[in-house]
Amino acid sequence: MEKLMARISREGDIHSGGVLKVDSFINHQIDPALMYDCAAELLDRFKDRNFNKILTIESSGIVPAVLAGYIAGLPVVFAKKTKPISMGKAYSTTIHSFTRDNDYEVMISEEFLTADDRVLFIDDFLAYGNAALGMIDICRQAGASIEGMGFLIEKKFQNGRYAIGKSDASVKVESLAIIESHLGF
Ligand code: 5GP
C-alpha cells in the first residue's frame, strides 16, 4: 500500500535489533485517516474470506481492528494482557515479545470466542510471528477458525509469515507494507 510505505519511508526510524519505530502515525500518535484507509484495504484483501469477528491484541492492533470492524459491521475482540477480576473463564497463551524481550500472557474470555467464530486477526506488525502464533493457539482452544491474518507492516526478514504457515498452512496472510530486509529501512 503506497500511502503507508511512503509514510514509513518519511517518518519511520530504525532501532537496534530490527525494530522499526513508527510512533508518529501508528504506535503513539495515531493518524486516523491513514489507519482507516489501512483497515479498508485489509478488508478488501480478505473479501474472499468469510469471517464474522475481528481479533487483535492490545494495544497497537486495536485501532486498525476497530476501524475494520466498524467498516465491516463486525464485532472486535482484543486479547488482554492482564486479567480483570471480573473476567470469567478465559483462554490464554504465552507470547514472547522480542521488542521487550520478555514473555507475556494474553487471554480472551470464553464468552467472546467460540467454535462458531471465523476470525480475521489484525495487528500492527508481523515480525517473528509470535503474537500471531499465540492467537492461532487461542483460536484452537476455542474451536474457532482463522480465516486470515492481516498486518499493517511485515518485516519479512524476521520470517513471521513462514512461522504462521508452519503452524497452519491454511491461513491467508496479507501485509500492507512489506519491509524486505534490514537495508530496506
Ligand atoms: P511478532 O510477535 O510477530 O514477533 O511481533 C509482533 C508484535 O510485536 C506486534 O504486535 C508489535 O506490537 C510488536 N512489534 C514487532 N516488531 C515491531 C517493530 O519493528 N516496531 C514496533 N513498533 N512494534 C513491533
Side-chain angles (χ1 to χ4, degrees):
M1 189 185 175
E2 246 172 69
K3 207 185 274 187
L4 179 60
M5 279 307 281
R7 203 63 185 272
I8 295 167
S9 311
R10 230 175 29 239
E11 295 174 37
D13 202 11
I14 180 64
H15 282 241
S16 57
V19 174
L20 175 63
K21 193 173 169 193
V22 284
D23 279 7
S24 61
F25 56 101
I26 297 179
N27 289 134
H28 196 357
Q29 175 170 264
I30 293 161
D31 180 337
L34 179 65
M35 292 300 99
Y36 184 92
D37 290 348
C38 287
E41 173 70 22
L42 279 175
L43 287 174
D44 194 54
R45 298 209 188 175
F46 289 102
K47 62 175 184 252
D48 60 329
R49 300 287 155 137
N50 179 22
F51 47 90
N52 68 340
K53 191 164 276 186
I54 295 179
L55 219 62
T56 189
I57 300 188
E58 68 174 340
S59 58
S60 296
I62 293 178
V63 169
V66 165
L67 289 167
Y70 178 74
I71 297 166
L74 294 175
V76 179
V77 176
F78 65 93
K80 283 177 175 271
K81 290 179 178 167
T82 49
K83 185 169 181 170
I85 43 169
S86 57
M87 189 186 262
K89 282 169 87 181
Y91 303 110
S92 70
T93 195
T94 302
I95 292 175
H96 180 73
S97 165
F98 96 96
T99 52
R100 295 200 165 89
D101 193 24
N102 64 6
D103 287 349
Y104 61 95
E105 211 187 344
V106 295
M107 59 223 75
I108 294 181
S109 167
E110 290 186 9
E111 215 181 322
F112 300 121
L113 191 65
T114 73
D116 292 331
D117 286 323
R118 303 175 307 280
V119 161
L120 174 63
F121 172 69
I122 289 181
D123 203 3
D124 58 345
F125 274 90
L126 173 60
Y128 293 94
N130 294 317
L133 294 186
M135 296 315 287
I136 291 174
D137 179 27
I138 281 195
C139 285
R140 280 194 183 128
Q141 293 175 41
S145 66
I146 299 197
E147 295 295 316
M149 300 190 127
F151 303 90
L152 303 184
I153 302 171
E154 173 177 350
K155 292 180 294 174
K156 203 171 171 190
F157 56 91
Q158 289 170 334
N159 295 322
R161 187 180 286 259
Y162 175 73
I164 293 171
K166 237 173 77 177
S167 173
D168 185 344
S170 71
V171 174
K172 176 177 174 178
V173 178
E174 288 283 340
S175 307
L176 302 183
I178 298 181
I179 312 291
E180 296 284 340
S181 70
H182 285 87
L183 298 174
F185 290 130

